Amino acid sequence: MSSQEVKVETKVDVEATPVAAVVPVDEFVFKAKPDIYSGLTIDVNDLPKNQDEFEARLSHSLEVWKMEGKRGIWLVIPIEKSAFIPVAVSLGFVFHHTTPAAITLTTWLSSEPNKLPQYSPVTIGVGGLVVDEATDSVLLVQEKFSHFKDSWKLPGGLVDEGEDLFTAVEREVLEETGVEAEAYGVVGFSHFYPYLNDCSNFYFVILMRPKTTTINMQVSEIAKCEWINAPSFLEKGSTTKFTRAIISIGYESYKAAKALSKEAASSSSSSSSVSETPEADPQPVVQKIETDDPSNVSVFYRFEVAFRIPQTKQAYFQFYKPGPRAYPGLAAL
């Protein structure tokens, strides 16, 4: 073999073989996905069936990762392998959070202070203010299970995993009332603590327009569901102080949105120089609302008008107050 042939052969081998391939692979170490914080998430599909093997491999893996300078280690144990939990705890793991199907544990290998994020102690709720423009009525429900008997409220509930605010409120309104409605604006939000399971709760009031009006309520959860004239309800309807306040605020936002929509349509038809960007007003109005519990005053962060950007499907919003500059995208409201 000539000198030239040797050089060619060596060159081909270098290019075709990844550098990592020359490093011995410790197959006893768990497969894991790295993160940008020098941490790892153990591949759940690499967990063995045998508890003794799990303990031996996890102990060995932690030793190797500590020498490599890894910091936070995340371990998800599915419910069918829950016998692995005490093993992981004995090796320094602590509980982070659970789901019906699995538990997530963490351990911190670095000598630095533990910087792993806590599990979010927050729930997000939505209430749909569905206004029927033809009758000036709002869609309200009375729940079967409630602290306030015969009290009307907005249909709604908690946001499920993977949902944005609009998707969640559209689902909840349909489930509880049978009415299909489209979300198009955010009135504002309130913060409650303590809430379910000692968590905080952010409750968003969402403006909606009905696509259908026939009621087919969820009888397992809802005692009554009706379209009720908005001005009449705000004057004498049976409800809590908080609900009356947020419906009043939301109804004002609905009328403001309606007026702004007409202004945008008029401006679009009469002039081509209308700004395509609304006048920004990022500062919400903070409004304290008295509740039926004298010891609890809820703070409601109110936006004058807040609409989802029409060109998107995601939960992105633009917050602004009605003014001389109209937003043509609102003409279709």
Side-chain angles (χ1 to χ4, degrees), residues 106-219:
T106 64
T107 190
W108 185 255
L109 302 181
S110 173
S111 59
E112 302 172 11
N114 189 337
K115 298 180 181 179
L116 291 177
Q118 294 182 346
Y119 187 62
S120 175
V122 174
T123 59
I124 299 176
V126 287
L129 181 61
V130 189
V131 184
D132 183 2
E133 183 176 355
T135 61
D136 204 22
S137 298
V138 292
L139 184 64
L140 300 174
V141 299
Q142 289 183 7
E143 294 181 323
K144 275 191 174 181
F145 311 101
S146 172
H147 295 295
F148 305 99
K149 184 176 175 58
D150 300 327
S151 178
W152 293 102
K153 65 180 288 289
L154 298 177
L158 293 178
V159 176
D160 285 343
E161 183 179 358
E163 289 184 324
D164 62 30
L165 296 177
F166 282 20
T167 302
V169 76
E170 288 170 354
R171 172 186 54 76
E172 284 284 353
V173 168
L174 181 62
E175 287 177 357
E176 293 187 355
T177 72
V179 173
E180 185 179 358
E182 178 186 14
Y184 68 91
V186 179
V187 176
F189 67 93
S190 187
H191 177 241
F192 297 93
Y193 179 82
Y195 190 64
L196 186 66
N197 297 325
D198 204 32
C199 290
S200 290
N201 175 260
F202 288 96
Y203 176 72
F204 288 82
V205 179
I206 311 293
L207 283 174
M208 307 182 75
R209 65 169 69 83
K211 293 182 177 180
T212 63
T213 56
T214 301
I215 292 173
N216 182 19
M217 70 181 190
Q218 186 182 30
V219 294

Side-chain angles (χ1 to χ4, degrees), residues 294-309:
S295 65
N296 181 17
V297 177
S298 178
V299 178
F300 190 80
Y301 300 85
R302 174 185 178 183
F303 297 101
E304 291 298 321
V305 186
F307 296 103
R308 181 165 61 176
I309 302 172

Side-chain angles (χ1 to χ4, degrees), residues 307-330:
F307 296 103
R308 181 165 61 176
I309 302 172
Q311 290 79 11
T312 72
K313 292 292 185 181
Q314 290 76 26
Y316 300 129
F317 304 96
Q318 290 184 331
F319 303 107
Y320 59 96
K321 65 170 59 175
R325 296 171 63 192
Y327 183 32
L330 297 181

Side-chain angles (χ1 to χ4, degrees), residues 14-327:
V14 170
E15 290 183 344
T17 306
V19 174
V22 300
V23 180
V25 176
D26 188 343
E27 296 183 353
F28 205 61
V29 172
F30 279 123
K31 296 177 182 176
K33 182 179 179 180
D35 59 41
I36 61 174
Y37 306 106
S38 296
L40 295 169
T41 298
I42 297 173
D43 185 350
V44 67
N45 296 314
D46 197 31
L47 298 183
K49 296 180 181 180
N50 182 277
Q51 185 173 334
D52 291 336
E53 181 184 349
F54 171 74
E55 181 174 9
R57 290 187 62 188
L58 184 59
S59 177
H60 177 69
S61 298
L62 292 174
E63 291 178 2
V64 171
W65 291 333
K66 189 169 185 177
M67 289 189 295
E68 292 177 349
K70 301 301 180 185
R71 304 197 303 168
I73 309 299
W74 298 79
L75 170 63
V76 178
I77 298 179
I79 193 168
E80 61 270 18
K81 295 183 178 179
S82 55
F84 291 0
I85 295 174
V87 174
V89 171
S90 70
L91 292 173
F93 280 83
V94 296
F95 295 167
H96 189 266
H97 67 275
T98 64
T99 67
I103 184 170
T104 297
L105 302 94
T106 64
T107 190
W108 185 255
L109 302 181
S110 173
S111 59
E112 302 172 11
N114 189 337
K115 298 180 181 179
L116 291 177
Q118 294 182 346
Y119 187 62
S120 175
V122 174
T123 59
I124 299 176
V126 287
L129 181 61
V130 189
V131 184
D132 183 2
E133 183 176 355
T135 61
D136 204 22
S137 298
V138 292
L139 184 64
L140 300 174
V141 299
Q142 289 183 7
E143 294 181 323
K144 275 191 174 181
F145 311 101
S146 172
H147 295 295
F148 305 99
K149 184 176 175 58
D150 300 327
S151 178
W152 293 102
K153 65 180 288 289
L154 298 177
L158 293 178
V159 176
D160 285 343
E161 183 179 358
E163 289 184 324
D164 62 30
L165 296 177
F166 282 20
T167 302
V169 76
E170 288 170 354
R171 172 186 54 76
E172 284 284 353
V173 168
L174 181 62
E175 287 177 357
E176 293 187 355
T177 72
V179 173
E180 185 179 358
E182 178 186 14
Y184 68 91
V186 179
V187 176
F189 67 93
S190 187
H191 177 241
F192 297 93
Y193 179 82
Y195 190 64
L196 186 66
N197 297 325
D198 204 32
C199 290
S200 290
N201 175 260
F202 288 96
Y203 176 72
F204 288 82
V205 179
I206 311 293
L207 283 174
M208 307 182 75
R209 65 169 69 83
K211 293 182 177 180
T212 63
T213 56
T214 301
I215 292 173
N216 182 19
M217 70 181 190
Q218 186 182 30
V219 294
S220 62
E221 301 289 338
I222 305 300
K224 289 184 181 179
C225 178
E226 295 179 13
W227 289 101
I228 302 178
N229 178 264
S232 175
F233 175 80
L234 291 172
E235 181 181 351
K236 56 184 180 182
S238 174
T239 190
T240 64
K241 293 178 181 179
F242 176 78
T243 298
R244 191 185 309 280
I246 62 174
I247 291 178
S248 177
I249 293 169
Y251 186 64
E252 289 178 15
S253 291
Y254 157 74
K255 291 188 290 185
K258 186 177 176 182
L260 186 60
S261 176
K262 291 180 178 178
E263 180 183 349
S266 174
S267 299
S268 297
S269 61
S270 61
S271 173
S272 60
S273 61
V274 179
S275 171
E276 293 186 0
T277 304
E279 183 176 0
D281 180 29
Q283 299 299 322
V285 177
V286 179
Q287 182 167 337
K288 290 187 176 180
I289 298 176
E290 182 182 357
T291 69
D292 291 78
D293 179 358
S295 65
N296 181 17
V297 177
S298 178
V299 178
F300 190 80
Y301 300 85
R302 174 185 178 183
F303 297 101
E304 291 298 321
V305 186
F307 296 103
R308 181 165 61 176
I309 302 172
Q311 290 79 11
T312 72
K313 292 292 185 181
Q314 290 76 26
Y316 300 129
F317 304 96
Q318 290 184 331
F319 303 107
Y320 59 96
K321 65 170 59 175
R325 296 171 63 192
Y327 183 32

